[in-house]
Amino acid sequence: MILVIIIELREKIMLSRALGSGWGVLLPGMIVAGLTFADLSLDVWKTMIVSGLLATSAMIWHKQLRHFVLLPSCVALISGMLVIMMSLK
């Protein structure tokens, strides 16, 4: 609800910025989708999640890498969803 209010106050400028960063979700999604065919174990996927989260926290504080923080965080998110799906089988 707060996000909707902020978007309306900024006159839809924030919404166009969010749609412009779609490559930051698609690129890690394609990488993780390619890695699913490698038949990796759950421990490797969990390591990828942890490394993505650590890289995200390190990139937030770096001045130039701050703009690419969506890449490792989406790798961690998509890998986490994959681990959940693998553990349900």
Side-chain angles (χ1 to χ4, degrees):
M1 183 65 183
I2 295 172
L3 183 61
V4 174
I5 294 170
I6 292 173
I7 290 173
E8 288 180 13
L9 290 177
R10 293 187 177 228
E11 299 173 9
K12 310 285 184 193
I13 294 171
M14 188 173 174
L15 183 62
S16 66
R17 286 185 189 167
L19 293 176
S21 63
W23 67 271
V25 177
L26 292 176
L27 183 64
M30 291 187 318
I31 291 170
V32 171
L35 286 174
T36 56
F37 295 110
D39 197 31
L40 301 174
S41 67
L42 281 175
D43 292 332
V44 174
W45 285 109
K46 290 177 184 178
T47 304
M48 285 180 55
I49 294 169
V50 170
S51 63
L53 292 173
L54 290 174
T56 299
S57 62
M59 288 173 72
I60 286 174
W61 301 108
H62 195 273
K63 190 174 184 175
Q64 283 89 18
L65 294 179
R66 185 178 302 156
H67 304 288
F68 302 103
V69 75
L70 196 58
L71 296 173
S73 63
C74 284
V75 167
L77 175 70
I78 296 169
S79 298
M81 293 185 332
L82 188 66
V83 165
I84 290 171
M85 288 188 333
M86 288 173 64
S87 64
L88 290 177
K89 287 185 179 179

